[in-house]
Amino acid sequence: MKKSLLRLGLALVLALTCAAAQAAPAASSSDNPVGNPAVNPAGNPVDQFTGEIWVNTAESDKAAYLFGIDSAVTVEYFVNARQTAKAAKAGKKPVYTLSPFEKAWMEAFSGVSRAEIIKMVDAWYAAHPKDLQRPVMSVIWYELIEPRLAGAKK
């Protein structure tokens, strides 16, 4: 029950960080070739914070958006740490509940400021002006996090 309330709260935090910008309508099926995870899938009921919005958003709102994500990841990290400590104290094997996204976010952006992440996202959209319909989270995951993780494994 507590975990469900926490996740609901985290979702609310993320939603509120986007309140300053209006979400773009979901992409139509003609905009989304099958198998392309970079574009909001047709029928996805969640409006996406896209590059069209990002490039017209104030720097402070971009930072607030990333702060919301950081906050959600941080809360999950500390909740996970508490559950792990409880399990260890009870002599049970720790259960790690961080999602692959949360783990990757922490690893890829360790030591990276929000201002730097904003510059990276801005640079990506500037280099790909035809891809402004692409959701910001898609750019962050596929163009920033995954390459940074792949580079760290080498």
Side-chain angles (χ1 to χ4, degrees):
M1 176 73 171
K2 286 182 182 180
K3 197 169 189 174
S4 296
L5 289 174
L6 178 63
R7 289 186 183 191
L8 179 62
L10 292 175
L12 182 60
V13 166
L14 287 174
L16 291 176
T17 60
C18 299
Q22 294 205 356
S28 71
S29 58
S30 63
D31 294 337
N32 185 20
V34 175
N36 183 356
V39 179
N40 186 22
N44 182 349
V46 179
D47 286 338
Q48 300 293 308
F49 185 46
T50 65
E52 293 166 337
I53 299 167
W54 179 268
V55 299
N56 295 308
T57 298
E59 203 78 11
S60 60
D61 291 338
K62 292 175 183 177
Y65 178 77
L66 295 174
F67 177 75
I69 298 168
D70 279 340
S71 296
V73 169
T74 301
V75 168
E76 281 291 320
Y77 174 81
F78 285 112
V79 167
N80 185 63
R82 185 173 181 194
Q83 291 173 341
T84 301
K86 278 183 177 180
K89 191 174 181 178
K92 297 178 181 176
K93 185 177 178 180
V95 177
Y96 298 98
T97 59
L98 289 179
S99 74
F101 173 80
E102 292 161 334
K103 290 175 188 175
W105 180 277
M106 291 189 313
E107 184 177 335
F109 294 139
S110 175
V112 178
S113 71
R114 283 194 266 313
E116 292 172 295
I117 297 171
I118 291 169
K119 287 179 185 176
M120 288 184 249
V121 175
D122 286 345
W124 191 90
Y125 281 118
H128 302 89
K130 292 183 180 181
D131 292 324
L132 290 178
Q133 80 289 350
R134 189 165 171 192
V136 174
M137 287 306 299
S138 171
V139 171
I140 289 173
W141 179 258
Y142 292 106
E143 309 304 333
L144 303 181
I145 293 176
E146 280 191 342
R148 292 175 76 85
L149 294 179
K153 290 180 183 178
K154 290 181 181 179

